[in-house]
Amino acid sequence: HRVGRDRFVRFDQEMNWINARVLCQSNGLDLYRPNNITAVSQYLEDNFSDRWYWVGGRGNGTHQLWFSGEVVTRADPWYSNHYTKVGTDFCLQIIAYSGNYAEGTVLASVPCTRSKNI
């Protein structure tokens, strides 16, 4: 799929963050940080019925980090108070439902063990 400068593959499976990353890597891909997180969320909502998608970042114990090593900050489009969950067992997802992308609030930190779409 292509949204602006973002190009990505969407798998139909639901799985936890670790298994999602393994599946991506087995296909020569990886979870990633969208250039425009809200635009990708809007595209997913408009074209698929799924609601949550894993992206390339997780907690390091004190901060959420993208794979690039950049700290995920409050400047990113956080949904509600999900910014506060930063432990190593919390991974990043984007939310694609109910028009949250219109408010620019689509990023959330949730337990890595939950099943989400990829």
Side-chain angles (χ1 to χ4, degrees), residues 4 9 56 70 73-75 94 99 109:
V9 174
E70 257 184 285
T73 69
R74 286 196 181 273
I94 54 173
S109 175

Side-chain angles (χ1 to χ4, degrees), residues 58-64 84-91 109-110 112:
R58 73 179 299 173
N60 71 350
T62 59
H63 297 87
Q64 284 286 335
T84 60
K85 299 174 183 175
V86 297
T88 56
D89 54 343
F90 284 94
C91 294
S109 175
V110 297
C112 303

Side-chain angles (χ1 to χ4, degrees), residues 67-118:
F67 289 158
S68 65
E70 257 184 285
V71 174
V72 184
T73 69
R74 286 196 181 273
D76 290 295
W78 286 99
Y79 177 74
S80 184
N81 65 350
H82 286 77
Y83 178 77
T84 60
K85 299 174 183 175
V86 297
T88 56
D89 54 343
F90 284 94
C91 294
L92 292 176
Q93 67 169 354
I94 54 173
I95 304 169
Y97 71 99
S98 302
N100 286 314
Y101 61 81
E103 300 171 18
T105 56
V106 298
L107 189 63
S109 175
V110 297
C112 303
T113 55
R114 285 194 188 160
S115 290
K116 304 289 178 190
N117 296 300
I118 57 172

Side-chain angles (χ1 to χ4, degrees), residues 15-92:
M15 56 187 64
N16 67 39
W17 187 91
I18 294 166
N19 292 338
R21 188 168 192 207
V22 167
L23 175 62
C24 287
Q25 291 175 331
S26 71
N27 285 278
L29 306 167
D30 204 349
L31 298 175
Y32 84 116
R33 175 185 183 177
N35 292 305
N36 187 330
I37 298 169
T38 53
V40 169
S41 177
Q42 180 178 354
Y43 176 84
L44 291 167
E45 179 176 347
D46 290 346
N47 292 281
F48 305 101
S49 61
D50 306 315
R51 297 182 174 208
W52 303 279
Y53 295 85
W54 291 120
V55 290
R58 73 179 299 173
N60 71 350
T62 59
H63 297 87
Q64 284 286 335
L65 297 177
W66 295 108
F67 289 158
S68 65
E70 257 184 285
V71 174
V72 184
T73 69
R74 286 196 181 273
D76 290 295
W78 286 99
Y79 177 74
S80 184
N81 65 350
H82 286 77
Y83 178 77
T84 60
K85 299 174 183 175
V86 297
T88 56
D89 54 343
F90 284 94
C91 294
L92 292 176

